[in-house]
Amino acid sequence: MRVLIVEDHAELAETVATGLRREGMAVDVSLDGDAALYRACVNRYDVVVLDRDLPGVHGDDVCRALAAAGNPARVLMLTAAGTIEDRVEGLGVGADDYLPKPFAFAELVARVRALARRSQPALPPVLERGGLRLDPARREASRDGLPLALSPKEFAVLELLMAARGAVVSAEHLLERAWDEAADPFTQTVKVTISRLRRKLGDPPLIENVPQAGYRI
């Protein structure tokens, strides 16, 4: 999944981003509302983790603008004010969920994953295909009962391919969904990751290369 963090406290934003990346997510960071709205226009996000108390463009206004533009991203609003009235107001401007600061990181991860599931077509909690078994919540993968040691990016790419249910997934789509905006679109990153995945998945081969189209399982 791809996540946008909007938080004016740079150290907190980077700490959260680093943690979510370790959970296998592609994460971009904006330190103000204007930058957040620009990124949300040019990139497709599953979830926006939005600090409500932003300077300049307030988090409420960012949330309203995303809703008015029909942006499909789900919004998790963060704020130091945790009263019932604050939560009601935050949800009233278009947020999908609300988490008061300070928060436990494990709860943040759980809420982001829950919102991401709501932003996409319904999928079973465990993906299975051709002897492969992928449990996104537990970050576990196996083939024919044998565990697979996958890097976060390998896991993310495999999840995207399995979620496609046999449809072809382009390299461009894999790059957009599994990597953040720092990824160079002209690199061989996707090709290299697919090659590593094929080696780890073993024989018979499961990932099919569809010429001039992409990959599928």
Side-chain angles (χ1 to χ4, degrees):
M1 75 187 69
R2 191 163 180 180
V3 179
L4 175 63
I5 297 172
V6 191
E7 167 62 63
D8 64 301
H9 191 294
E11 185 176 350
L12 174 60
E14 196 51 47
T15 298
V16 172
T18 299
L20 293 181
R21 288 176 185 132
R22 287 173 180 163
E23 293 292 323
M25 304 179 198
V27 184
D28 296 326
V29 174
S30 291
L31 300 179
D32 59 69
D34 284 325
L37 290 173
Y38 171 77
R39 282 190 170 89
C41 286
V42 299
N43 299 312
R44 178 190 164 195
Y45 295 103
D46 298 295
V47 179
V48 176
V49 178
L50 175 64
D51 179 28
R52 187 178 186 190
D53 305 309
L54 292 173
V57 181
H58 195 271
D60 287 358
D61 295 323
V62 173
C63 199
R64 290 190 187 98
L66 292 174
N71 193 295
R74 303 292 182 172
V75 176
L76 173 59
M77 189 171 278
L78 306 178
T79 183
T83 67
I84 292 176
E85 291 77 10
D86 288 313
R87 291 196 292 270
V88 170
E89 287 181 7
L91 295 171
V93 298
D96 297 281
D97 199 359
Y98 198 96
L99 186 62
K101 298 178 182 178
F103 51 81
F105 183 73
E107 182 178 6
L108 174 69
V109 172
R111 289 176 182 257
V112 168
R113 290 197 186 283
L115 288 175
R117 287 195 296 270
R118 289 165 54 186
S119 72
Q120 301 172 0
L123 291 170
V126 176
L127 303 173
E128 298 186 72
R129 191 172 185 87
L132 279 178
R133 187 178 189 276
L134 199 75
D135 187 335
R138 296 177 180 272
R139 311 302 295 166
E140 294 176 350
S142 63
R143 182 176 186 185
D144 297 330
L146 299 177
L148 299 169
L150 304 180
S151 72
K153 292 305 180 191
E154 291 164 356
F155 194 99
V157 168
L158 186 59
E159 183 177 357
L160 286 164
L161 291 173
M162 293 184 71
R165 298 175 175 177
V168 176
V169 183
S170 70
E172 291 78 13
H173 183 75
L174 292 173
L175 188 67
E176 177 188 358
R177 306 303 298 154
W179 280 266
D180 58 33
E181 64 185 5
D184 183 349
F186 300 104
T187 67
Q188 297 295 307
T189 299
V190 173
K191 185 176 181 180
V192 170
T193 302
I194 290 289
S195 179
R196 290 202 304 262
L197 262 178
R198 282 177 169 145
R199 287 198 300 271
K200 291 184 177 182
L201 294 178
D203 293 321
L206 288 176
I207 301 177
E208 178 187 357
N209 181 26
V210 181
Q212 300 182 352
Y215 307 93
R216 69 181 168 203
I217 291 179

